[in-house]
Amino acid sequence: EVREEAVNLCDAWGFTDFELNSVLGRADGNVYPHLLRWAEASSMNSPTTEACARVESLVPAQRSHSKM
């Protein structure tokens, strides 16, 4: 029952996308370009994260060239 009114209930609070840290449900309708920019700016997508460093340490420095 609440699901049908979920958008209206959320909009009633008047939170901005910035306050919600969300690019979904944008008032301007440009969700995908903003979602891409948001993902590109995320520190999780930085090549310097600790997880990336661990993975890179497992990958051999010299790899044979694949035909794929």
Side-chain angles (χ1 to χ4, degrees):
E1 295 172 25
V2 174
R3 188 176 198 176
E4 296 173 7
E5 299 297 327
V7 172
N8 293 332
L9 289 169
C10 292
D11 286 348
W13 288 99
F15 292 116
T16 65
D17 294 328
F18 178 79
E19 290 170 318
L20 296 174
N21 193 24
S22 174
V23 295
L24 300 176
R26 293 187 57 90
D28 64 8
N30 294 322
V31 174
Y32 296 108
H34 293 285
L35 183 60
L36 179 60
R37 272 189 253 138
W38 181 73
E40 289 172 338
S42 171
S43 62
M44 291 182 68
N45 291 322
S46 170
T48 60
T49 62
E50 184 180 328
C52 288
R54 278 191 252 147
V55 169
E56 287 175 353
S57 70
L58 299 173
V59 177
Q62 293 265 183
R63 289 186 249 157
S64 62
H65 296 287
S66 174
K67 293 182 179 181
M68 295 180 90

Short mmCIF file of all heavy atoms in Angstrom, two decimals:
data_model
loop_
_atom_site.label_atom_id
_atom_site.label_comp_id
_atom_site.label_asym_id
_atom_site.label_seq_id
_atom_site.Cartn_x
_atom_site.Cartn_y
_atom_site.Cartn_z
N GLU A 1 0.80 -1.19 0.00
CA GLU A 1 0.00 0.00 0.00
C GLU A 1 0.85 1.26 0.00
O GLU A 1 0.53 2.23 -0.66
CB GLU A 1 -0.93 0.00 1.20
CG GLU A 1 -1.96 -1.10 1.17
CD GLU A 1 -2.75 -1.19 2.46
OE1 GLU A 1 -2.85 -0.20 3.17
OE2 GLU A 1 -3.24 -2.28 2.74
N VAL A 2 1.93 1.23 0.74
CA VAL A 2 2.80 2.40 0.83
C VAL A 2 3.63 2.56 -0.43
O VAL A 2 3.95 3.68 -0.83
CB VAL A 2 3.73 2.28 2.06
CG1 VAL A 2 4.73 3.41 2.10
CG2 VAL A 2 2.92 2.24 3.34
N ARG A 3 3.92 1.46 -1.09
CA ARG A 3 4.78 1.50 -2.26
C ARG A 3 4.26 2.47 -3.33
O ARG A 3 5.04 3.17 -3.97
CB ARG A 3 4.92 0.10 -2.84
CG ARG A 3 5.92 0.01 -3.94
CD ARG A 3 6.07 -1.41 -4.40
NE ARG A 3 7.30 -1.54 -5.15
CZ ARG A 3 7.75 -2.66 -5.62
NH1 ARG A 3 7.10 -3.77 -5.41
NH2 ARG A 3 8.86 -2.68 -6.30
N GLU A 4 2.97 2.48 -3.53
CA GLU A 4 2.38 3.35 -4.54
C GLU A 4 2.61 4.83 -4.23
O GLU A 4 2.67 5.67 -5.13
CB GLU A 4 0.88 3.08 -4.66
CG GLU A 4 0.56 1.68 -5.15
CD GLU A 4 -0.93 1.38 -5.09
OE1 GLU A 4 -1.72 2.28 -4.79
OE2 GLU A 4 -1.29 0.22 -5.36
N GLU A 5 2.75 5.14 -2.96
CA GLU A 5 2.93 6.52 -2.54
C GLU A 5 4.36 6.84 -2.13
O GLU A 5 4.65 7.91 -1.61
CB GLU A 5 1.99 6.83 -1.38
CG GLU A 5 0.53 6.67 -1.71
CD GLU A 5 0.07 7.63 -2.79
OE1 GLU A 5 0.59 8.75 -2.88
OE2 GLU A 5 -0.84 7.25 -3.56
N ALA A 6 5.30 5.91 -2.37
CA ALA A 6 6.67 6.07 -1.89
C ALA A 6 7.33 7.33 -2.44
O ALA A 6 7.98 8.08 -1.70
CB ALA A 6 7.50 4.83 -2.24
N VAL A 7 7.19 7.59 -3.72
CA VAL A 7 7.81 8.78 -4.32
C VAL A 7 7.23 10.04 -3.71
O VAL A 7 7.95 10.96 -3.33
CB VAL A 7 7.65 8.79 -5.86
CG1 VAL A 7 8.12 10.12 -6.43
CG2 VAL A 7 8.42 7.63 -6.47
N ASN A 8 5.92 10.07 -3.59
CA ASN A 8 5.26 11.25 -3.00
C ASN A 8 5.69 11.45 -1.55
O ASN A 8 5.92 12.58 -1.11
CB ASN A 8 3.75 11.12 -3.08
CG ASN A 8 3.26 11.17 -4.51
OD1 ASN A 8 3.87 11.79 -5.37
ND2 ASN A 8 2.15 10.51 -4.77
N LEU A 9 5.81 10.36 -0.80
CA LEU A 9 6.23 10.47 0.59
C LEU A 9 7.67 10.99 0.69
O LEU A 9 7.97 11.84 1.52
CB LEU A 9 6.13 9.11 1.29
CG LEU A 9 4.71 8.61 1.56
CD1 LEU A 9 4.73 7.15 2.00
CD2 LEU A 9 4.04 9.48 2.61
N CYS A 10 8.54 10.49 -0.17
CA CYS A 10 9.93 10.96 -0.17
C CYS A 10 10.01 12.41 -0.62
O CYS A 10 10.75 13.21 -0.02
CB CYS A 10 10.79 10.08 -1.06
SG CYS A 10 10.99 8.41 -0.42
N ASP A 11 9.26 12.76 -1.65
CA ASP A 11 9.27 14.14 -2.14
C ASP A 11 8.72 15.12 -1.11
O ASP A 11 9.12 16.28 -1.07
CB ASP A 11 8.48 14.26 -3.44
CG ASP A 11 9.21 13.65 -4.63
OD1 ASP A 11 10.41 13.36 -4.50
OD2 ASP A 11 8.57 13.48 -5.68
N ALA A 12 7.82 14.65 -0.27
CA ALA A 12 7.21 15.52 0.74
C ALA A 12 8.25 16.06 1.72
O ALA A 12 8.10 17.17 2.23
CB ALA A 12 6.12 14.77 1.49
N TRP A 13 9.30 15.30 1.96
CA TRP A 13 10.35 15.76 2.87
C TRP A 13 11.18 16.86 2.23
O TRP A 13 11.82 17.65 2.92
CB TRP A 13 11.24 14.61 3.31
CG TRP A 13 10.55 13.68 4.25
CD1 TRP A 13 9.96 12.49 3.93
CD2 TRP A 13 10.34 13.87 5.65
NE1 TRP A 13 9.41 11.93 5.06
CE2 TRP A 13 9.63 12.75 6.13
CE3 TRP A 13 10.69 14.88 6.55
CZ2 TRP A 13 9.26 12.62 7.45
CZ3 TRP A 13 10.32 14.73 7.88
CH2 TRP A 13 9.61 13.62 8.31
N GLY A 14 11.26 16.89 0.93
CA GLY A 14 11.97 17.95 0.22
C GLY A 14 13.48 17.84 0.24
O GLY A 14 14.18 18.82 0.06
N PHE A 15 14.00 16.63 0.47
CA PHE A 15 15.45 16.46 0.44
C PHE A 15 15.97 16.61 -0.97
O PHE A 15 15.34 16.18 -1.93
CB PHE A 15 15.86 15.07 0.97
CG PHE A 15 15.59 14.87 2.42
CD1 PHE A 15 14.69 13.91 2.85
CD2 PHE A 15 16.25 15.63 3.38
CE1 PHE A 15 14.45 13.70 4.18
CE2 PHE A 15 16.01 15.44 4.73
CZ PHE A 15 15.10 14.47 5.13
N THR A 16 17.13 17.22 -1.11
CA THR A 16 17.76 17.36 -2.42
C THR A 16 18.56 16.10 -2.74
O THR A 16 18.87 15.30 -1.84
CB THR A 16 18.71 18.56 -2.47
OG1 THR A 16 19.80 18.32 -1.57
CG2 THR A 16 18.00 19.85 -2.10
N ASP A 17 18.92 15.92 -4.01
CA ASP A 17 19.77 14.80 -4.40
C ASP A 17 21.10 14.87 -3.67
O ASP A 17 21.66 13.85 -3.27
CB ASP A 17 20.00 14.79 -5.91
CG ASP A 17 18.72 14.53 -6.68
OD1 ASP A 17 17.86 13.79 -6.17
OD2 ASP A 17 18.59 15.07 -7.79
N PHE A 18 21.60 16.08 -3.47
CA PHE A 18 22.87 16.26 -2.75
C PHE A 18 22.75 15.75 -1.32
O PHE A 18 23.63 15.05 -0.83
CB PHE A 18 23.29 17.73 -2.77
CG PHE A 18 24.55 18.00 -2.02
CD1 PHE A 18 25.79 17.71 -2.58
CD2 PHE A 18 24.51 18.53 -0.74
CE1 PHE A 18 26.96 17.95 -1.88
CE2 PHE A 18 25.67 18.76 -0.03
CZ PHE A 18 26.90 18.47 -0.60
N GLU A 19 21.67 16.11 -0.64
CA GLU A 19 21.47 15.69 0.74
C GLU A 19 21.33 14.17 0.86
O GLU A 19 21.79 13.56 1.83
CB GLU A 19 20.24 16.36 1.34
CG GLU A 19 20.41 17.84 1.57
CD GLU A 19 19.12 18.54 1.93
OE1 GLU A 19 18.07 18.24 1.31
OE2 GLU A 19 19.16 19.39 2.84
N LEU A 20 20.71 13.58 -0.13
CA LEU A 20 20.54 12.13 -0.14
C LEU A 20 21.76 11.40 -0.69
O LEU A 20 21.83 10.19 -0.64
CB LEU A 20 19.31 11.75 -0.98
CG LEU A 20 17.97 12.24 -0.45
CD1 LEU A 20 16.88 11.94 -1.46
CD2 LEU A 20 17.66 11.62 0.89
N ASN A 21 22.72 12.16 -1.22
CA ASN A 21 23.90 11.60 -1.88
C ASN A 21 23.45 10.63 -2.96
O ASN A 21 23.88 9.49 -3.04
CB ASN A 21 24.84 10.93 -0.89
CG ASN A 21 26.19 10.62 -1.50
OD1 ASN A 21 26.60 11.25 -2.46
ND2 ASN A 21 26.88 9.66 -0.95
N SER A 22 22.53 11.09 -3.80
CA SER A 22 21.93 10.25 -4.82
C SER A 22 21.85 10.99 -6.14
O SER A 22 21.62 12.19 -6.18
CB SER A 22 20.53 9.84 -4.38
OG SER A 22 19.87 9.15 -5.42
N VAL A 23 22.03 10.25 -7.21
CA VAL A 23 21.83 10.83 -8.54
C VAL A 23 20.55 10.28 -9.16
O VAL A 23 20.17 10.69 -10.24
CB VAL A 23 23.02 10.55 -9.49
CG1 VAL A 23 24.26 11.23 -8.99
CG2 VAL A 23 23.25 9.06 -9.66
N LEU A 24 19.90 9.36 -8.48
CA LEU A 24 18.67 8.77 -8.99
C LEU A 24 17.49 9.67 -8.67
O LEU A 24 17.46 10.35 -7.65
CB LEU A 24 18.46 7.39 -8.38
CG LEU A 24 19.58 6.39 -8.67
CD1 LEU A 24 19.31 5.10 -7.95
CD2 LEU A 24 19.74 6.16 -10.15
N GLY A 25 16.51 9.69 -9.53
CA GLY A 25 15.32 10.49 -9.31
C GLY A 25 15.57 11.98 -9.46
O GLY A 25 14.93 12.80 -8.82
N ARG A 26 16.50 12.34 -10.31
CA ARG A 26 16.85 13.75 -10.50
C ARG A 26 15.68 14.53 -11.10
O ARG A 26 14.96 14.04 -11.95
CB ARG A 26 18.06 13.87 -11.42
CG ARG A 26 19.33 13.31 -10.80
CD ARG A 26 20.51 13.60 -11.68
NE ARG A 26 20.65 15.02 -11.93
CZ ARG A 26 21.37 15.84 -11.17
NH1 ARG A 26 21.97 15.39 -10.11
NH2 ARG A 26 21.46 17.12 -11.48
N ALA A 27 15.55 15.75 -10.64
CA ALA A 27 14.47 16.61 -11.14
C ALA A 27 14.66 16.95 -12.61
O ALA A 27 13.69 17.13 -13.34
CB ALA A 27 14.40 17.88 -10.30
N ASP A 28 15.93 17.01 -13.06
CA ASP A 28 16.18 17.38 -14.46
C ASP A 28 16.06 16.18 -15.41
O ASP A 28 16.12 16.33 -16.62
CB ASP A 28 17.53 18.07 -14.63
CG ASP A 28 18.72 17.18 -14.29
OD1 ASP A 28 18.54 15.97 -14.06
OD2 ASP A 28 19.85 17.71 -14.26
N GLY A 29 15.92 14.97 -14.86
CA GLY A 29 15.73 13.78 -15.67
C GLY A 29 16.99 13.20 -16.29
O GLY A 29 16.95 12.19 -16.97
N ASN A 30 18.15 13.81 -16.06
CA ASN A 30 19.41 13.33 -16.65
C ASN A 30 20.13 12.38 -15.69
O ASN A 30 21.23 12.65 -15.22
CB ASN A 30 20.31 14.52 -16.99
CG ASN A 30 19.73 15.37 -18.09
OD1 ASN A 30 19.14 14.85 -19.03
ND2 ASN A 30 19.87 16.67 -17.97
N VAL A 31 19.51 11.25 -15.43
CA VAL A 31 20.04 10.31 -14.45
C VAL A 31 21.37 9.71 -14.91
O VAL A 31 22.35 9.71 -14.16
CB VAL A 31 19.02 9.19 -14.16
CG1 VAL A 31 19.63 8.14 -13.25
CG2 VAL A 31 17.77 9.77 -13.54
N TYR A 32 21.42 9.19 -16.13
CA TYR A 32 22.59 8.41 -16.54
C TYR A 32 23.86 9.24 -16.70
O TYR A 32 24.92 8.80 -16.24
CB TYR A 32 22.26 7.59 -17.80
CG TYR A 32 21.19 6.58 -17.50
CD1 TYR A 32 19.90 6.74 -17.99
CD2 TYR A 32 21.44 5.50 -16.67
CE1 TYR A 32 18.90 5.83 -17.69
CE2 TYR A 32 20.46 4.59 -16.35
CZ TYR A 32 19.19 4.75 -16.86
OH TYR A 32 18.21 3.86 -16.54
N PRO A 33 23.83 10.42 -17.29
CA PRO A 33 25.08 11.21 -17.33
C PRO A 33 25.58 11.58 -15.93
O PRO A 33 26.78 11.53 -15.66
CB PRO A 33 24.69 12.47 -18.11
CG PRO A 33 23.48 12.10 -18.90
CD PRO A 33 22.77 11.06 -18.08
N HIS A 34 24.65 11.88 -15.03
CA HIS A 34 25.05 12.22 -13.66
C HIS A 34 25.52 10.99 -12.90
O HIS A 34 26.46 11.08 -12.10
CB HIS A 34 23.90 12.90 -12.94
CG HIS A 34 23.57 14.24 -13.50
ND1 HIS A 34 24.36 15.35 -13.29
CD2 HIS A 34 22.56 14.65 -14.29
CE1 HIS A 34 23.84 16.38 -13.92
NE2 HIS A 34 22.75 15.99 -14.54
N LEU A 35 24.91 9.85 -13.15
CA LEU A 35 25.33 8.61 -12.51
C LEU A 35 26.75 8.26 -12.94
O LEU A 35 27.58 7.86 -12.11
CB LEU A 35 24.36 7.48 -12.86
CG LEU A 35 24.62 6.12 -12.21
CD1 LEU A 35 24.58 6.23 -10.70
CD2 LEU A 35 23.60 5.11 -12.70
N LEU A 36 27.06 8.43 -14.23
CA LEU A 36 28.41 8.16 -14.72
C LEU A 36 29.42 9.10 -14.06
O LEU A 36 30.46 8.65 -13.57
CB LEU A 36 28.47 8.31 -16.24
CG LEU A 36 29.83 8.08 -16.87
CD1 LEU A 36 30.36 6.68 -16.59
CD2 LEU A 36 29.77 8.33 -18.37
N ARG A 37 29.12 10.40 -14.00
CA ARG A 37 30.03 11.35 -13.35
C ARG A 37 30.21 11.04 -11.88
O ARG A 37 31.31 11.12 -11.35
CB ARG A 37 29.52 12.78 -13.53
CG ARG A 37 30.03 13.38 -14.81
CD ARG A 37 29.73 14.85 -14.89
NE ARG A 37 28.66 14.95 -15.88
CZ ARG A 37 27.60 15.70 -15.81
NH1 ARG A 37 27.42 16.51 -14.80
NH2 ARG A 37 26.70 15.70 -16.75
N TRP A 38 29.12 10.66 -11.21
CA TRP A 38 29.16 10.32 -9.79
C TRP A 38 30.07 9.10 -9.57
O TRP A 38 30.90 9.09 -8.66
CB TRP A 38 27.74 10.06 -9.31
CG TRP A 38 27.60 9.72 -7.87
CD1 TRP A 38 27.73 10.56 -6.81
CD2 TRP A 38 27.27 8.44 -7.33
NE1 TRP A 38 27.50 9.87 -5.64
CE2 TRP A 38 27.21 8.57 -5.93
CE3 TRP A 38 27.01 7.20 -7.90
CZ2 TRP A 38 26.91 7.51 -5.09
CZ3 TRP A 38 26.71 6.15 -7.06
CH2 TRP A 38 26.66 6.31 -5.68
N ALA A 39 29.93 8.08 -10.43
CA ALA A 39 30.76 6.88 -10.31
C ALA A 39 32.22 7.18 -10.60
O ALA A 39 33.12 6.68 -9.92
CB ALA A 39 30.24 5.79 -11.25
N GLU A 40 32.48 8.01 -11.60
CA GLU A 40 33.86 8.36 -11.94
C GLU A 40 34.53 9.12 -10.80
O GLU A 40 35.73 8.99 -10.57
CB GLU A 40 33.90 9.20 -13.21
CG GLU A 40 33.58 8.41 -14.46
CD GLU A 40 33.42 9.28 -15.70
OE1 GLU A 40 33.15 10.50 -15.58
OE2 GLU A 40 33.57 8.74 -16.80
N ALA A 41 33.76 9.92 -10.07
CA ALA A 41 34.32 10.73 -8.98
C ALA A 41 34.46 9.94 -7.68
O ALA A 41 35.15 10.40 -6.76
CB ALA A 41 33.44 11.95 -8.75
N SER A 42 33.86 8.77 -7.60
CA SER A 42 33.89 7.99 -6.37
C SER A 42 35.31 7.49 -6.09
O SER A 42 36.01 7.00 -6.98
CB SER A 42 32.95 6.80 -6.48
OG SER A 42 33.11 5.92 -5.38
N SER A 43 35.71 7.58 -4.83
CA SER A 43 37.04 7.08 -4.45
C SER A 43 37.14 5.57 -4.63
O SER A 43 38.23 5.03 -4.74
CB SER A 43 37.34 7.46 -3.01
OG SER A 43 36.41 6.85 -2.13
N MET A 44 35.99 4.89 -4.67
CA MET A 44 36.02 3.43 -4.88
C MET A 44 36.51 3.09 -6.28
O MET A 44 36.97 1.98 -6.52
CB MET A 44 34.63 2.85 -4.67
CG MET A 44 34.17 2.90 -3.23
SD MET A 44 32.56 2.15 -3.02
CE MET A 44 32.96 0.44 -3.34
N ASN A 45 36.43 4.03 -7.21
CA ASN A 45 36.87 3.78 -8.57
C ASN A 45 38.25 4.37 -8.84
O ASN A 45 38.67 4.45 -9.99
CB ASN A 45 35.85 4.36 -9.56
CG ASN A 45 34.57 3.56 -9.53
OD1 ASN A 45 34.59 2.36 -9.40
ND2 ASN A 45 33.45 4.25 -9.61
N SER A 46 38.93 4.74 -7.81
CA SER A 46 40.27 5.28 -7.94
C SER A 46 41.26 4.12 -8.09
O SER A 46 41.16 3.12 -7.38
CB SER A 46 40.63 6.10 -6.70
OG SER A 46 41.99 6.42 -6.71
N PRO A 47 42.22 4.25 -8.99
CA PRO A 47 43.20 3.17 -9.17
C PRO A 47 44.16 3.07 -7.99
O PRO A 47 44.98 2.18 -7.95
CB PRO A 47 43.93 3.55 -10.46
CG PRO A 47 43.75 5.01 -10.58
CD PRO A 47 42.42 5.32 -9.94
N THR A 48 44.07 3.96 -7.04
CA THR A 48 45.00 3.95 -5.92
C THR A 48 44.40 3.35 -4.65
O THR A 48 44.97 3.47 -3.59
CB THR A 48 45.48 5.38 -5.61
OG1 THR A 48 44.34 6.18 -5.30
CG2 THR A 48 46.23 5.97 -6.78
N THR A 49 43.24 2.70 -4.75
CA THR A 49 42.64 2.11 -3.56
C THR A 49 43.48 0.93 -3.09
O THR A 49 44.22 0.30 -3.86
CB THR A 49 41.20 1.63 -3.81
OG1 THR A 49 41.24 0.61 -4.81
CG2 THR A 49 40.29 2.76 -4.21
N GLU A 50 43.34 0.62 -1.81
CA GLU A 50 44.10 -0.48 -1.23
C GLU A 50 43.77 -1.81 -1.90
O GLU A 50 44.64 -2.63 -2.16
CB GLU A 50 43.79 -0.56 0.27
CG GLU A 50 44.61 -1.62 0.99
CD GLU A 50 44.27 -1.66 2.47
OE1 GLU A 50 43.94 -0.61 3.04
OE2 GLU A 50 44.34 -2.76 3.03
N ALA A 51 42.49 -2.00 -2.23
CA ALA A 51 42.07 -3.24 -2.88
C ALA A 51 42.74 -3.39 -4.24
O ALA A 51 43.20 -4.48 -4.60
CB ALA A 51 40.56 -3.28 -3.03
N CYS A 52 42.82 -2.28 -5.02
CA CYS A 52 43.47 -2.34 -6.32
C CYS A 52 44.96 -2.67 -6.17
O CYS A 52 45.51 -3.44 -6.96
CB CYS A 52 43.32 -1.01 -7.06
SG CYS A 52 41.63 -0.74 -7.67
N ALA A 53 45.57 -2.09 -5.18
CA ALA A 53 47.00 -2.36 -4.95
C ALA A 53 47.22 -3.84 -4.65
O ALA A 53 48.18 -4.44 -5.14
CB ALA A 53 47.52 -1.49 -3.82
N ARG A 54 46.32 -4.43 -3.86
CA ARG A 54 46.45 -5.86 -3.55
C ARG A 54 46.26 -6.72 -4.79
O ARG A 54 46.99 -7.67 -5.01
CB ARG A 54 45.44 -6.25 -2.48
CG ARG A 54 45.93 -5.91 -1.09
CD ARG A 54 45.05 -6.53 -0.04
NE ARG A 54 44.29 -5.44 0.54
CZ ARG A 54 43.07 -5.53 0.99
NH1 ARG A 54 42.41 -6.65 0.92
NH2 ARG A 54 42.46 -4.49 1.50
N VAL A 55 45.28 -6.38 -5.60
CA VAL A 55 45.03 -7.15 -6.82
C VAL A 55 46.21 -7.02 -7.77
O VAL A 55 46.67 -8.01 -8.36
CB VAL A 55 43.72 -6.70 -7.51
CG1 VAL A 55 43.59 -7.30 -8.89
CG2 VAL A 55 42.53 -7.07 -6.64
N GLU A 56 46.72 -5.80 -7.94
CA GLU A 56 47.86 -5.58 -8.84
C GLU A 56 49.08 -6.36 -8.38
O GLU A 56 49.88 -6.81 -9.21
CB GLU A 56 48.17 -4.10 -8.93
CG GLU A 56 47.15 -3.33 -9.74
CD GLU A 56 47.39 -1.83 -9.73
OE1 GLU A 56 48.28 -1.36 -9.00
OE2 GLU A 56 46.66 -1.14 -10.46
N SER A 57 49.23 -6.56 -7.07
CA SER A 57 50.38 -7.32 -6.58
C SER A 57 50.26 -8.80 -6.93
O SER A 57 51.26 -9.51 -6.96
CB SER A 57 50.54 -7.15 -5.07
OG SER A 57 49.48 -7.81 -4.38
N LEU A 58 49.05 -9.26 -7.22
CA LEU A 58 48.84 -10.66 -7.58
C LEU A 58 48.99 -10.92 -9.07
O LEU A 58 49.16 -12.05 -9.49
CB LEU A 58 47.45 -11.11 -7.13
CG LEU A 58 47.17 -11.02 -5.62
CD1 LEU A 58 45.70 -11.33 -5.36
CD2 LEU A 58 48.07 -11.96 -4.85
N VAL A 59 48.90 -9.88 -9.87
CA VAL A 59 48.96 -10.02 -11.32
C VAL A 59 50.42 -9.92 -11.76
O VAL A 59 51.13 -8.98 -11.38
CB VAL A 59 48.13 -8.91 -12.01
CG1 VAL A 59 48.24 -9.01 -13.52
CG2 VAL A 59 46.69 -9.00 -11.57
N PRO A 60 50.88 -10.86 -12.54
CA PRO A 60 52.28 -10.80 -13.01
C PRO A 60 52.52 -9.53 -13.82
O PRO A 60 51.66 -9.05 -14.55
CB PRO A 60 52.41 -12.03 -13.91
CG PRO A 60 51.25 -12.89 -13.63
CD PRO A 60 50.17 -12.03 -13.05
N ALA A 61 53.71 -8.98 -13.69
CA ALA A 61 54.06 -7.74 -14.38
C ALA A 61 54.05 -7.93 -15.89
O ALA A 61 53.61 -7.07 -16.63
CB ALA A 61 55.41 -7.24 -13.91
N GLN A 62 54.56 -9.05 -16.38
CA GLN A 62 54.60 -9.34 -17.82
C GLN A 62 53.51 -10.34 -18.13
O GLN A 62 53.47 -11.42 -17.57
CB GLN A 62 55.95 -9.95 -18.21
CG GLN A 62 57.07 -9.01 -18.09
CD GLN A 62 57.43 -8.31 -19.39
OE1 GLN A 62 58.30 -7.63 -19.36
NE2 GLN A 62 56.81 -8.44 -20.50
N ARG A 63 52.64 -9.97 -19.02
CA ARG A 63 51.59 -10.89 -19.45
C ARG A 63 51.74 -11.13 -20.93
O ARG A 63 52.12 -10.23 -21.67
CB ARG A 63 50.22 -10.31 -19.16
CG ARG A 63 49.91 -10.29 -17.69
CD ARG A 63 48.49 -9.84 -17.48
NE ARG A 63 48.54 -8.52 -16.87
CZ ARG A 63 47.59 -7.62 -16.91
NH1 ARG A 63 46.50 -7.87 -17.55
NH2 ARG A 63 47.71 -6.49 -16.31
N SER A 64 51.41 -12.33 -21.34
CA SER A 64 51.44 -12.61 -22.77
C SER A 64 50.27 -11.87 -23.41
O SER A 64 49.26 -11.61 -22.78
CB SER A 64 51.34 -14.09 -23.04
OG SER A 64 50.11 -14.58 -22.55
N HIS A 65 50.42 -11.51 -24.65
CA HIS A 65 49.36 -10.79 -25.35
C HIS A 65 48.30 -11.76 -25.83
O HIS A 65 48.58 -12.67 -26.59
CB HIS A 65 49.95 -10.01 -26.54
CG HIS A 65 50.90 -8.95 -26.10
ND1 HIS A 65 50.48 -7.79 -25.51
CD2 HIS A 65 52.24 -8.87 -26.15
CE1 HIS A 65 51.52 -7.04 -25.22
NE2 HIS A 65 52.61 -7.69 -25.60
N SER A 66 47.11 -11.56 -25.38
CA SER A 66 45.99 -12.42 -25.74
C SER A 66 45.39 -11.94 -27.06
O SER A 66 45.42 -10.77 -27.39
CB SER A 66 44.93 -12.37 -24.64
OG SER A 66 43.79 -13.07 -25.05
N LYS A 67 44.81 -12.85 -27.81
CA LYS A 67 44.15 -12.50 -29.05
C LYS A 67 42.69 -12.11 -28.80
O LYS A 67 41.96 -11.82 -29.71
CB LYS A 67 44.20 -13.66 -30.03
CG LYS A 67 45.60 -13.95 -30.50
CD LYS A 67 45.61 -15.07 -31.50
CE LYS A 67 47.02 -15.33 -31.97
NZ LYS A 67 47.07 -16.37 -32.96
N MET A 68 42.26 -12.11 -27.56
CA MET A 68 40.87 -11.78 -27.23
C MET A 68 40.66 -10.29 -27.19
O MET A 68 41.37 -9.51 -26.82
CB MET A 68 40.46 -12.38 -25.90
CG MET A 68 40.47 -13.89 -25.95
SD MET A 68 40.00 -14.61 -24.39
CE MET A 68 38.27 -14.74 -24.65
#
